[in-house]
Amino acid sequence: MSGHPLSVPGTDGFSRRRFLAGTGSLLGAAALAAHTAGPARAEVPGLDLTPVPDGSHVRALVIGTGYGGSVAALRLARAGVDVHMIEMGQAWDTPGPDGKVFANTTKPDYRSFWLRGRTKQPLSQFLGFPLDKDVPCHTGILDAEDFAGITVYQGRGVGGGSLVNGGMAVTPLRDRFPEILPTVDPAEMYATYYPRANAGLGVTEVDQNWWEGADAYQYARVGRKHAQRSGFPFVFVPNVYDWDYMKQEAAGAVPKSALAGEVIYGNNHGKKSLQKTYLAQAAATGRVSVSALHRVTSVSPAATGGYTVAIDQIDTTGAVLATKTVRADRVFFAAGSVGTSKLLTRLKATGALPGLNEHIGKGWGDNGNVMCGRANHMWDPTGKLQSAMPTAGIDNWEAGGAFAEVAPLPTGIETYASFYLSITRTPRRAEFSWNPATGRVDLSWDRAWKQTSIDMAKSIFDKINAKEGTIYRSDLFGAYKIWGDHLTYHPLGGAVLDRATDNHGRLHGHPGLYAIDGSLIPGNTSVNPFVTITALAERNIERIIAEDF
Ligand code: FAE
C-alpha cells in the first residue's frame, strides 16, 4: 500500500508560504503549510490522538508504536478489542517553520535528536571536520541512547523505528532461521507470517532496469562491481520505499525525499513508514487511540485485577506536565528492545513485577553492527546524488559471518567513498541490570567486543581493498578511526522468547503481560531486523488473541 498522494503543493502554496515567512509570521506559515503541503504531512488519517485521561480503564494497553506495537494494535482492534497505545515520542503530524515535518540528514535541527543539546550523528566527522553541533533540547526523532560501551540509535515518535530507518525489508534466508529464533517453527513463519508481514509493511523490490540507469544508485553499482570482482555474492534487498515516487523524484516531478538524502531524521515523502501501513489500518478500525508524548514509567498488578500503569505526560522539552494512572486488563510491552528491557529490568528489581523470571534483561545483542567506508580511486566516483534508501548487500555470511549493506553517503558532493553497514554473526550478548545508586538501568556491553564483528566485516573489505588497490576511510568516525564500532541501529533481545516469556511472548509470572517487539529476539537476525520483528509479532498476536481474549 502506498498512501502518499503524488500531487504536490503547487507554486501557489509555496509562494504564499514564503510570503508569510517574509512577513515574519512563522506561526502562520506553519499553519498554512499544514493545509497545503499534503505529502509532507506524516500523520495517520483518522488516528485518535486524544490523550488518555487520568484514572481511566482500558482493555488493552500497548507501550510503544513501533513494529511490534503496531501489529498488536491492528490485530487486537480487528478482533474487536479497543486498544490504547502510549508513545513517548511525538505524533510527527505538524510541519516545522520550513513547511516540512522532518529535518534533512545534512541539516539536523531541533527535530532531529531526542532530548540532547548537541547532535550525536552516527558519522561524526567528515574529511577531518567534526560534524556535530548544538541544537535545542527537544523531543526529536532519533534517540542516540548512551550506555557504557555502546550508543543505541532508536526512533522516537508515532511509528517508532519506522520513522528513521533505511526501509531495508529483509527476510532472512530460511536455512539461517533456526539460528535466529530456535524455538519457532520455520515452516509456519515462511508459509504464513513472513508473507503476512511483508504484505502489511508494503515491501517491494526496486525495478532493476530503472536501478541500472539511475544516477542515485551509482554508489550501489560501484558497490556491486567491487563485490563481484572479489567473488562475493551481491544481492538486491527489498525496501518499503515507494519506488514510483522515487522515479518521480528522479524526474523532478515531485518534492525530493530519498533523493534529497532524507532518512535518519525522518522522511517527508515516499517511505511507507508504519504511519502509512499498519497504523493507518489500525486507525481505520476506529478502535485504536494513541497518547503521544506520554511515557510509561511503571506497570504493577492492580488490586482490582489487571495492571496499574503509571504514565508521565511530557512536553517537547521533556518536562513532565502531568502524571497519570491507567488501569489496563492487559499490557503489551512494545517499547523496543531497549525500552522494554529497561522497563522490565527495573520493575522486576524494584518489586513492582516480582514474578518476572531470571531471564529478564538477558540475551541482548547489537545484531553485530559495524560500519566502515572505503576510499575509491578517482575513476570510481560514487555520485553526488545518492538515494538514502539502500537496495543491496554483500552476503558473506556463510564464509565470513558478515552481511554488508551497501549504504549511501548522501552528502550532496562527490566523496569517492563507498560506505557499508555490516551485520555480523557475533556471539557477544550483554545484560541489563538495575543500578539503585544512579536510578538507571545499565547495559554490560564492552566496546572491545566489537572486534569480533570488525574481523567478520574485514572478511569482505580486506579482500575488496586488496583486489581494488584501495584503502579504508579513516575520517568518518573520528581522526584516523576506520571502524564505526561505537554504535548499533539494531538492538535486539532483553526479554527473549521462550526464556523471559513463553513461546508466544507471554511474560512469565504475570498473566496478561506480553513482550511483542525486538526484545524477544536473542541478539541477531543475520540481516536487518524489522521484517522478522513484524513477522514474529504477527505469529504471537494470532495465538494470544485466539487463546487469551
Ligand atoms: P521500535 O520501532 O523501536 O518502537 C518502540 C517505540 O516505543 C518507540 O516509538 C519508542 O519511542 C517507544 N517507547 C520506548 N519506551 C517507551 C515508554 N517507556 N513509554 C512509551 N513509549 C516508549 O521497536 N531495520 C531494518 O530492518 N531495516 C533498516 O533499513 C533499518 N535501518 C535503521 C536505521 C536507523 C537509523 C535505525 C535507528 C534503525 C534501523 N533499523 C532498521 C532498525 C529498526 O528500525 C528496529 O529494529 C525496529 O524499529 C525495532 O522495532 P520495535 O517494534 O522493536
PDB file of all heavy atoms in Angstrom, residues 63-64 66-68 86-88 153 155-157 160-161 165-168 264 294-296 334-336 489-490 517-518 528-530 533, ligand 1:
ATOM      1  N   ILE A  63       2.488  -0.396  24.970  1.00  0.00           N
ATOM      2  CA  ILE A  63       3.552   0.581  25.259  1.00  0.00           C
ATOM      3  C   ILE A  63       4.459   0.644  24.039  1.00  0.00           C
ATOM      4  O   ILE A  63       5.220  -0.280  23.766  1.00  0.00           O
ATOM      5  CB  ILE A  63       4.379   0.171  26.495  1.00  0.00           C
ATOM      6  CG1 ILE A  63       3.482  -0.162  27.683  1.00  0.00           C
ATOM      7  CG2 ILE A  63       5.380   1.258  26.838  1.00  0.00           C
ATOM      8  CD1 ILE A  63       4.233  -0.776  28.871  1.00  0.00           C
ATOM      9  N   GLY A  64       4.380   1.751  23.285  1.00  0.00           N
ATOM     10  CA  GLY A  64       5.220   1.916  22.103  1.00  0.00           C
ATOM     11  C   GLY A  64       4.450   1.696  20.816  1.00  0.00           C
ATOM     12  O   GLY A  64       3.533   0.866  20.743  1.00  0.00           O
ATOM     13  N   GLY A  66       6.080   1.221  17.626  1.00  0.00           N
ATOM     14  CA  GLY A  66       6.933   0.697  16.556  1.00  0.00           C
ATOM     15  C   GLY A  66       6.306  -0.535  15.928  1.00  0.00           C
ATOM     16  O   GLY A  66       5.073  -0.699  15.925  1.00  0.00           O
ATOM     17  N   TYR A  67       7.153  -1.421  15.413  1.00  0.00           N
ATOM     18  CA  TYR A  67       6.653  -2.579  14.653  1.00  0.00           C
ATOM     19  C   TYR A  67       5.788  -3.504  15.508  1.00  0.00           C
ATOM     20  O   TYR A  67       4.651  -3.820  15.146  1.00  0.00           O
ATOM     21  CB  TYR A  67       7.825  -3.341  14.015  1.00  0.00           C
ATOM     22  CG  TYR A  67       8.472  -2.508  12.945  1.00  0.00           C
ATOM     23  CD1 TYR A  67       9.547  -1.664  13.238  1.00  0.00           C
ATOM     24  CD2 TYR A  67       7.972  -2.508  11.659  1.00  0.00           C
ATOM     25  CE1 TYR A  67      10.114  -0.859  12.257  1.00  0.00           C
ATOM     26  CE2 TYR A  67       8.527  -1.701  10.665  1.00  0.00           C
ATOM     27  CZ  TYR A  67       9.600  -0.877  10.977  1.00  0.00           C
ATOM     28  OH  TYR A  67      10.137  -0.073  10.013  1.00  0.00           O
ATOM     29  N   GLY A  68       6.353  -3.967  16.641  1.00  0.00           N
ATOM     30  CA  GLY A  68       5.610  -4.905  17.474  1.00  0.00           C
ATOM     31  C   GLY A  68       4.309  -4.290  17.962  1.00  0.00           C
ATOM     32  O   GLY A  68       3.239  -4.929  17.922  1.00  0.00           O
ATOM     33  N   ILE A  86       0.523   3.936  24.106  1.00  0.00           N
ATOM     34  CA  ILE A  86       1.240   5.015  24.792  1.00  0.00           C
ATOM     35  C   ILE A  86       2.583   5.185  24.091  1.00  0.00           C
ATOM     36  O   ILE A  86       3.357   4.224  23.986  1.00  0.00           O
ATOM     37  CB  ILE A  86       1.486   4.652  26.280  1.00  0.00           C
ATOM     38  CG1 ILE A  86       0.186   4.257  26.976  1.00  0.00           C
ATOM     39  CG2 ILE A  86       2.201   5.786  26.994  1.00  0.00           C
ATOM     40  CD1 ILE A  86      -0.777   5.395  27.205  1.00  0.00           C
ATOM     41  N   GLU A  87       2.864   6.388  23.599  1.00  0.00           N
ATOM     42  CA  GLU A  87       4.100   6.634  22.844  1.00  0.00           C
ATOM     43  C   GLU A  87       4.818   7.847  23.430  1.00  0.00           C
ATOM     44  O   GLU A  87       4.252   8.929  23.492  1.00  0.00           O
ATOM     45  CB  GLU A  87       3.769   6.872  21.366  1.00  0.00           C
ATOM     46  CG  GLU A  87       4.926   7.376  20.516  1.00  0.00           C
ATOM     47  CD  GLU A  87       6.173   6.490  20.594  1.00  0.00           C
ATOM     48  OE1 GLU A  87       6.074   5.283  20.309  1.00  0.00           O
ATOM     49  OE2 GLU A  87       7.255   7.013  20.958  1.00  0.00           O
ATOM     50  N   MET A  88       6.080   7.643  23.833  1.00  0.00           N
ATOM     51  CA  MET A  88       6.785   8.773  24.454  1.00  0.00           C
ATOM     52  C   MET A  88       7.206   9.848  23.456  1.00  0.00           C
ATOM     53  O   MET A  88       7.417  10.993  23.813  1.00  0.00           O
ATOM     54  CB  MET A  88       7.981   8.269  25.258  1.00  0.00           C
ATOM     55  CG  MET A  88       9.123   7.727  24.469  1.00  0.00           C
ATOM     56  SD  MET A  88      10.214   6.816  25.608  1.00  0.00           S
ATOM     57  CE  MET A  88      11.753   7.619  25.308  1.00  0.00           C
ATOM     58  N   TYR A 153      21.006   3.652  18.655  1.00  0.00           N
ATOM     59  CA  TYR A 153      20.137   4.578  17.923  1.00  0.00           C
ATOM     60  C   TYR A 153      18.748   3.985  17.783  1.00  0.00           C
ATOM     61  O   TYR A 153      18.598   2.818  17.428  1.00  0.00           O
ATOM     62  CB  TYR A 153      20.728   4.878  16.544  1.00  0.00           C
ATOM     63  CG  TYR A 153      21.896   5.834  16.627  1.00  0.00           C
ATOM     64  CD1 TYR A 153      23.191   5.365  16.827  1.00  0.00           C
ATOM     65  CD2 TYR A 153      21.696   7.202  16.550  1.00  0.00           C
ATOM     66  CE1 TYR A 153      24.256   6.244  16.933  1.00  0.00           C
ATOM     67  CE2 TYR A 153      22.755   8.087  16.658  1.00  0.00           C
ATOM     68  CZ  TYR A 153      24.032   7.599  16.846  1.00  0.00           C
ATOM     69  OH  TYR A 153      25.081   8.477  16.964  1.00  0.00           O
ATOM     70  N   GLY A 155      14.318   5.112  16.926  1.00  0.00           N
ATOM     71  CA  GLY A 155      13.340   6.110  16.510  1.00  0.00           C
ATOM     72  C   GLY A 155      12.407   6.459  17.656  1.00  0.00           C
ATOM     73  O   GLY A 155      12.076   5.606  18.471  1.00  0.00           O
ATOM     74  N   ARG A 156      11.983   7.719  17.712  1.00  0.00           N
ATOM     75  CA  ARG A 156      11.045   8.174  18.744  1.00  0.00           C
ATOM     76  C   ARG A 156       9.873   8.892  18.084  1.00  0.00           C
ATOM     77  O   ARG A 156      10.075   9.888  17.377  1.00  0.00           O
ATOM     78  CB  ARG A 156      11.735   9.172  19.691  1.00  0.00           C
ATOM     79  CG  ARG A 156      12.869   8.579  20.488  1.00  0.00           C
ATOM     80  CD  ARG A 156      12.363   7.822  21.700  1.00  0.00           C
ATOM     81  NE  ARG A 156      13.436   7.137  22.389  1.00  0.00           N
ATOM     82  CZ  ARG A 156      13.574   5.816  22.433  1.00  0.00           C
ATOM     83  NH1 ARG A 156      12.715   5.028  21.828  1.00  0.00           N
ATOM     84  NH2 ARG A 156      14.572   5.276  23.093  1.00  0.00           N
ATOM     85  N   GLY A 157       8.679   8.397  18.336  1.00  0.00           N
ATOM     86  CA  GLY A 157       7.502   9.041  17.775  1.00  0.00           C
ATOM     87  C   GLY A 157       6.502   7.986  17.351  1.00  0.00           C
ATOM     88  O   GLY A 157       6.776   6.778  17.439  1.00  0.00           O
ATOM     89  N   GLY A 160       7.634   4.662  15.740  1.00  0.00           N
ATOM     90  CA  GLY A 160       8.872   4.093  16.272  1.00  0.00           C
ATOM     91  C   GLY A 160      10.014   4.142  15.276  1.00  0.00           C
ATOM     92  O   GLY A 160      10.216   5.147  14.574  1.00  0.00           O
ATOM     93  N   GLY A 161      10.740   3.030  15.179  1.00  0.00           N
ATOM     94  CA  GLY A 161      11.913   2.976  14.312  1.00  0.00           C
ATOM     95  C   GLY A 161      11.593   3.142  12.840  1.00  0.00           C
ATOM     96  O   GLY A 161      12.467   3.497  12.044  1.00  0.00           O
ATOM     97  N   ASN A 165      14.360   4.651   9.928  1.00  0.00           N
ATOM     98  CA  ASN A 165      15.228   3.607   9.361  1.00  0.00           C
ATOM     99  C   ASN A 165      15.332   3.697   7.845  1.00  0.00           C
ATOM    100  O   ASN A 165      14.667   4.488   7.199  1.00  0.00           O
ATOM    101  CB  ASN A 165      14.814   2.214   9.857  1.00  0.00           C
ATOM    102  CG  ASN A 165      13.468   1.768   9.356  1.00  0.00           C
ATOM    103  OD1 ASN A 165      13.091   2.058   8.239  1.00  0.00           O
ATOM    104  ND2 ASN A 165      12.735   1.054  10.210  1.00  0.00           N
ATOM    105  N   GLY A 166      16.236   2.859   7.311  1.00  0.00           N
ATOM    106  CA  GLY A 166      16.512   2.879   5.882  1.00  0.00           C
ATOM    107  C   GLY A 166      15.512   2.093   5.058  1.00  0.00           C
ATOM    108  O   GLY A 166      15.672   1.979   3.840  1.00  0.00           O
ATOM    109  N   GLY A 167      14.504   1.526   5.717  1.00  0.00           N
ATOM    110  CA  GLY A 167      13.452   0.839   4.980  1.00  0.00           C
ATOM    111  C   GLY A 167      13.856  -0.507   4.409  1.00  0.00           C
ATOM    112  O   GLY A 167      13.069  -1.147   3.710  1.00  0.00           O
ATOM    113  N   MET A 168      15.087  -0.960   4.690  1.00  0.00           N
ATOM    114  CA  MET A 168      15.527  -2.258   4.144  1.00  0.00           C
ATOM    115  C   MET A 168      14.720  -3.363   4.787  1.00  0.00           C
ATOM    116  O   MET A 168      14.774  -3.555   6.002  1.00  0.00           O
ATOM    117  CB  MET A 168      17.019  -2.491   4.393  1.00  0.00           C
ATOM    118  CG  MET A 168      17.893  -1.677   3.459  1.00  0.00           C
ATOM    119  SD  MET A 168      19.629  -1.944   3.815  1.00  0.00           S
ATOM    120  CE  MET A 168      19.928  -3.491   2.986  1.00  0.00           C
ATOM    121  N   ILE A 264      17.572   9.380   8.326  1.00  0.00           N
ATOM    122  CA  ILE A 264      17.654   9.113   9.772  1.00  0.00           C
ATOM    123  C   ILE A 264      16.934  10.141  10.638  1.00  0.00           C
ATOM    124  O   ILE A 264      16.710   9.889  11.813  1.00  0.00           O
ATOM    125  CB  ILE A 264      19.109   8.928  10.267  1.00  0.00           C
ATOM    126  CG1 ILE A 264      19.936  10.184  10.030  1.00  0.00           C
ATOM    127  CG2 ILE A 264      19.748   7.705   9.655  1.00  0.00           C
ATOM    128  CD1 ILE A 264      21.329  10.102  10.656  1.00  0.00           C
ATOM    129  N   HIS A 294       3.688  10.697  25.862  1.00  0.00           N
ATOM    130  CA  HIS A 294       3.354  10.044  27.128  1.00  0.00           C
ATOM    131  C   HIS A 294       4.348   8.897  27.322  1.00  0.00           C
ATOM    132  O   HIS A 294       4.544   8.095  26.395  1.00  0.00           O
ATOM    133  CB  HIS A 294       1.935   9.464  27.112  1.00  0.00           C
ATOM    134  CG  HIS A 294       0.857  10.481  27.343  1.00  0.00           C
ATOM    135  ND1 HIS A 294       0.684  11.578  26.535  1.00  0.00           N
ATOM    136  CD2 HIS A 294      -0.117  10.541  28.298  1.00  0.00           C
ATOM    137  CE1 HIS A 294      -0.353  12.288  26.977  1.00  0.00           C
ATOM    138  NE2 HIS A 294      -0.858  11.685  28.050  1.00  0.00           N
ATOM    139  N   ARG A 295       4.943   8.817  28.492  1.00  0.00           N
ATOM    140  CA  ARG A 295       5.961   7.793  28.746  1.00  0.00           C
ATOM    141  C   ARG A 295       5.536   6.895  29.906  1.00  0.00           C
ATOM    142  O   ARG A 295       5.252   7.399  31.005  1.00  0.00           O
ATOM    143  CB  ARG A 295       7.293   8.474  29.072  1.00  0.00           C
ATOM    144  CG  ARG A 295       8.442   7.511  29.323  1.00  0.00           C
ATOM    145  CD  ARG A 295       9.765   8.240  29.456  1.00  0.00           C
ATOM    146  NE  ARG A 295       9.658   9.363  30.360  1.00  0.00           N
ATOM    147  CZ  ARG A 295      10.380  10.483  30.307  1.00  0.00           C
ATOM    148  NH1 ARG A 295      11.274  10.636  29.362  1.00  0.00           N
ATOM    149  NH2 ARG A 295      10.211  11.446  31.180  1.00  0.00           N
ATOM    150  N   VAL A 296       5.504   5.606  29.652  1.00  0.00           N
ATOM    151  CA  VAL A 296       5.161   4.670  30.729  1.00  0.00           C
ATOM    152  C   VAL A 296       6.329   4.577  31.704  1.00  0.00           C
ATOM    153  O   VAL A 296       7.481   4.384  31.295  1.00  0.00           O
ATOM    154  CB  VAL A 296       4.825   3.280  30.147  1.00  0.00           C
ATOM    155  CG1 VAL A 296       4.694   2.244  31.261  1.00  0.00           C
ATOM    156  CG2 VAL A 296       3.539   3.351  29.341  1.00  0.00           C
ATOM    157  N   ALA A 334       5.950  -3.026  24.007  1.00  0.00           N
ATOM    158  CA  ALA A 334       6.424  -2.879  22.629  1.00  0.00           C
ATOM    159  C   ALA A 334       7.262  -1.614  22.530  1.00  0.00           C
ATOM    160  O   ALA A 334       7.202  -0.870  21.565  1.00  0.00           O
ATOM    161  CB  ALA A 334       5.230  -2.818  21.669  1.00  0.00           C
ATOM    162  N   ALA A 335       8.048  -1.383  23.586  1.00  0.00           N
ATOM    163  CA  ALA A 335       8.851  -0.157  23.683  1.00  0.00           C
ATOM    164  C   ALA A 335      10.203  -0.321  23.014  1.00  0.00           C
ATOM    165  O   ALA A 335      11.098   0.498  23.200  1.00  0.00           O
ATOM    166  CB  ALA A 335       9.010   0.227  25.160  1.00  0.00           C
ATOM    167  N   GLY A 336      10.361  -1.376  22.200  1.00  0.00           N
ATOM    168  CA  GLY A 336      11.635  -1.660  21.554  1.00  0.00           C
ATOM    169  C   GLY A 336      12.516  -2.468  22.494  1.00  0.00           C
ATOM    170  O   GLY A 336      12.279  -2.527  23.708  1.00  0.00           O
ATOM    171  N   TYR A 489      22.327   0.177  15.271  1.00  0.00           N
ATOM    172  CA  TYR A 489      20.996   0.588  14.822  1.00  0.00           C
ATOM    173  C   TYR A 489      19.982  -0.517  15.124  1.00  0.00           C
ATOM    174  O   TYR A 489      18.791  -0.333  14.929  1.00  0.00           O
ATOM    175  CB  TYR A 489      20.975   0.783  13.294  1.00  0.00           C
ATOM    176  CG  TYR A 489      21.580   2.052  12.755  1.00  0.00           C
ATOM    177  CD1 TYR A 489      21.642   2.261  11.371  1.00  0.00           C
ATOM    178  CD2 TYR A 489      22.075   3.058  13.581  1.00  0.00           C
ATOM    179  CE1 TYR A 489      22.171   3.415  10.829  1.00  0.00           C
ATOM    180  CE2 TYR A 489      22.613   4.217  13.042  1.00  0.00           C
ATOM    181  CZ  TYR A 489      22.664   4.392  11.665  1.00  0.00           C
ATOM    182  OH  TYR A 489      23.183   5.534  11.128  1.00  0.00           O
ATOM    183  N   HIS A 490      20.463  -1.691  15.498  1.00  0.00           N
ATOM    184  CA  HIS A 490      19.619  -2.893  15.559  1.00  0.00           C
ATOM    185  C   HIS A 490      19.633  -3.555  16.930  1.00  0.00           C
ATOM    186  O   HIS A 490      20.053  -4.703  17.060  1.00  0.00           O
ATOM    187  CB  HIS A 490      20.103  -3.917  14.527  1.00  0.00           C
ATOM    188  CG  HIS A 490      20.073  -3.442  13.103  1.00  0.00           C
ATOM    189  ND1 HIS A 490      20.767  -4.067  12.087  1.00  0.00           N
ATOM    190  CD2 HIS A 490      19.415  -2.416  12.513  1.00  0.00           C
ATOM    191  CE1 HIS A 490      20.538  -3.445  10.937  1.00  0.00           C
ATOM    192  NE2 HIS A 490      19.731  -2.429  11.166  1.00  0.00           N
ATOM    193  N   ASP A 517       8.022  -7.140  20.805  1.00  0.00           N
ATOM    194  CA  ASP A 517       8.870  -6.291  19.955  1.00  0.00           C
ATOM    195  C   ASP A 517      10.235  -6.950  19.789  1.00  0.00           C
ATOM    196  O   ASP A 517      10.397  -8.149  20.034  1.00  0.00           O
ATOM    197  CB  ASP A 517       8.992  -4.893  20.582  1.00  0.00           C
ATOM    198  CG  ASP A 517       9.511  -4.972  22.012  1.00  0.00           C
ATOM    199  OD1 ASP A 517       9.986  -6.047  22.429  1.00  0.00           O
ATOM    200  OD2 ASP A 517       9.426  -3.956  22.722  1.00  0.00           O
ATOM    201  N   GLY A 518      11.233  -6.166  19.435  1.00  0.00           N
ATOM    202  CA  GLY A 518      12.578  -6.692  19.207  1.00  0.00           C
ATOM    203  C   GLY A 518      13.216  -7.300  20.440  1.00  0.00           C
ATOM    204  O   GLY A 518      14.220  -8.018  20.324  1.00  0.00           O
ATOM    205  N   ASN A 528      18.894  -7.171   8.343  1.00  0.00           N
ATOM    206  CA  ASN A 528      18.197  -6.077   9.029  1.00  0.00           C
ATOM    207  C   ASN A 528      16.925  -6.631   9.681  1.00  0.00           C
ATOM    208  O   ASN A 528      16.252  -7.476   9.103  1.00  0.00           O
ATOM    209  CB  ASN A 528      17.837  -4.983   8.018  1.00  0.00           C
ATOM    210  CG  ASN A 528      19.005  -4.656   7.110  1.00  0.00           C
ATOM    211  OD1 ASN A 528      19.462  -5.503   6.361  1.00  0.00           O
ATOM    212  ND2 ASN A 528      19.489  -3.454   7.192  1.00  0.00           N
ATOM    213  N   PRO A 529      16.574  -6.139  10.869  1.00  0.00           N
ATOM    214  CA  PRO A 529      15.617  -6.909  11.691  1.00  0.00           C
ATOM    215  C   PRO A 529      14.119  -6.637  11.565  1.00  0.00           C
ATOM    216  O   PRO A 529      13.324  -7.442  12.038  1.00  0.00           O
ATOM    217  CB  PRO A 529      16.053  -6.547  13.115  1.00  0.00           C
ATOM    218  CG  PRO A 529      16.655  -5.192  13.002  1.00  0.00           C
ATOM    219  CD  PRO A 529      17.267  -5.112  11.642  1.00  0.00           C
ATOM    220  N   PHE A 530      13.662  -5.523  10.952  1.00  0.00           N
ATOM    221  CA  PHE A 530      12.258  -5.196  11.229  1.00  0.00           C
ATOM    222  C   PHE A 530      11.235  -6.149  10.609  1.00  0.00           C
ATOM    223  O   PHE A 530      10.125  -6.283  11.131  1.00  0.00           O
ATOM    224  CB  PHE A 530      11.926  -3.718  10.986  1.00  0.00           C
ATOM    225  CG  PHE A 530      11.805  -3.229   9.573  1.00  0.00           C
ATOM    226  CD1 PHE A 530      10.842  -3.713   8.708  1.00  0.00           C
ATOM    227  CD2 PHE A 530      12.622  -2.193   9.118  1.00  0.00           C
ATOM    228  CE1 PHE A 530      10.710  -3.218   7.424  1.00  0.00           C
ATOM    229  CE2 PHE A 530      12.508  -1.692   7.827  1.00  0.00           C
ATOM    230  CZ  PHE A 530      11.551  -2.214   6.980  1.00  0.00           C
ATOM    231  N   ILE A 533      10.939  -8.878  13.212  1.00  0.00           N
ATOM    232  CA  ILE A 533      10.189  -8.389  14.381  1.00  0.00           C
ATOM    233  C   ILE A 533       8.690  -8.374  14.057  1.00  0.00           C
ATOM    234  O   ILE A 533       7.855  -8.828  14.858  1.00  0.00           O
ATOM    235  CB  ILE A 533      10.674  -6.968  14.779  1.00  0.00           C
ATOM    236  CG1 ILE A 533      12.125  -7.023  15.273  1.00  0.00           C
ATOM    237  CG2 ILE A 533       9.759  -6.347  15.833  1.00  0.00           C
ATOM    238  CD1 ILE A 533      12.773  -5.662  15.474  1.00  0.00           C
TER     239      ILE A 533
HETATM  240  P1  FAE B   1      10.670   0.421  17.935  1.00  0.00           P
HETATM  241  O1  FAE B   1      10.386   0.531  16.490  1.00  0.00           O
HETATM  242  O2  FAE B   1      11.968   0.957  18.439  1.00  0.00           O
HETATM  243  O3  FAE B   1       9.460   1.118  18.722  1.00  0.00           O
HETATM  244  C1  FAE B   1       9.456   1.296  20.102  1.00  0.00           C
HETATM  245  C2  FAE B   1       8.640   2.549  20.435  1.00  0.00           C
HETATM  246  O4  FAE B   1       8.393   2.580  21.842  1.00  0.00           O
HETATM  247  C3  FAE B   1       9.347   3.854  20.095  1.00  0.00           C
HETATM  248  O5  FAE B   1       8.498   4.653  19.321  1.00  0.00           O
HETATM  249  C4  FAE B   1       9.630   4.483  21.473  1.00  0.00           C
HETATM  250  O6  FAE B   1       9.615   5.900  21.463  1.00  0.00           O
HETATM  251  C5  FAE B   1       8.529   3.910  22.325  1.00  0.00           C
HETATM  252  N1  FAE B   1       8.855   3.843  23.764  1.00  0.00           N
HETATM  253  C6  FAE B   1      10.000   3.407  24.327  1.00  0.00           C
HETATM  254  N2  FAE B   1       9.938   3.445  25.681  1.00  0.00           N
HETATM  255  C7  FAE B   1       8.672   3.924  25.970  1.00  0.00           C
HETATM  256  C8  FAE B   1       7.990   4.194  27.196  1.00  0.00           C
HETATM  257  N3  FAE B   1       8.559   3.958  28.389  1.00  0.00           N
HETATM  258  N4  FAE B   1       6.740   4.707  27.132  1.00  0.00           N
HETATM  259  C9  FAE B   1       6.152   4.936  25.925  1.00  0.00           C
HETATM  260  N5  FAE B   1       6.769   4.694  24.732  1.00  0.00           N
HETATM  261  C10 FAE B   1       8.009   4.181  24.757  1.00  0.00           C
HETATM  262  O7  FAE B   1      10.601  -1.092  18.430  1.00  0.00           O
HETATM  263  N6  FAE B   1      15.831  -2.163  10.461  1.00  0.00           N
HETATM  264  C11 FAE B   1      15.601  -2.784   9.288  1.00  0.00           C
HETATM  265  O8  FAE B   1      15.062  -3.891   9.257  1.00  0.00           O
HETATM  266  N7  FAE B   1      15.953  -2.166   8.100  1.00  0.00           N
HETATM  267  C12 FAE B   1      16.569  -0.950   8.061  1.00  0.00           C
HETATM  268  O9  FAE B   1      16.854  -0.419   6.980  1.00  0.00           O
HETATM  269  C13 FAE B   1      16.856  -0.314   9.311  1.00  0.00           C
HETATM  270  N8  FAE B   1      17.508   0.884   9.343  1.00  0.00           N
HETATM  271  C14 FAE B   1      17.660   1.527  10.556  1.00  0.00           C
HETATM  272  C15 FAE B   1      18.237   2.806  10.570  1.00  0.00           C
HETATM  273  C16 FAE B   1      18.317   3.507  11.769  1.00  0.00           C
HETATM  274  C17 FAE B   1      18.947   4.879  11.793  1.00  0.00           C
HETATM  275  C18 FAE B   1      17.812   2.930  12.968  1.00  0.00           C
HETATM  276  C19 FAE B   1      17.880   3.676  14.282  1.00  0.00           C
HETATM  277  C20 FAE B   1      17.242   1.666  12.948  1.00  0.00           C
HETATM  278  C21 FAE B   1      17.170   0.960  11.760  1.00  0.00           C
HETATM  279  N9  FAE B   1      16.590  -0.310  11.703  1.00  0.00           N
HETATM  280  C22 FAE B   1      16.418  -0.949  10.503  1.00  0.00           C
HETATM  281  C23 FAE B   1      16.125  -0.989  12.938  1.00  0.00           C
HETATM  282  C24 FAE B   1      14.615  -0.975  13.106  1.00  0.00           C
HETATM  283  O10 FAE B   1      14.088   0.319  12.925  1.00  0.00           O
HETATM  284  C25 FAE B   1      14.281  -1.521  14.507  1.00  0.00           C
HETATM  285  O11 FAE B   1      14.782  -2.847  14.571  1.00  0.00           O
HETATM  286  C26 FAE B   1      12.790  -1.541  14.788  1.00  0.00           C
HETATM  287  O12 FAE B   1      12.247  -0.241  14.729  1.00  0.00           O
HETATM  288  C27 FAE B   1      12.502  -2.131  16.160  1.00  0.00           C
HETATM  289  O13 FAE B   1      11.109  -2.341  16.274  1.00  0.00           O
HETATM  290  P2  FAE B   1      10.404  -2.490  17.672  1.00  0.00           P
HETATM  291  O14 FAE B   1       8.976  -2.752  17.447  1.00  0.00           O
HETATM  292  O15 FAE B   1      11.186  -3.475  18.496  1.00  0.00           O
END
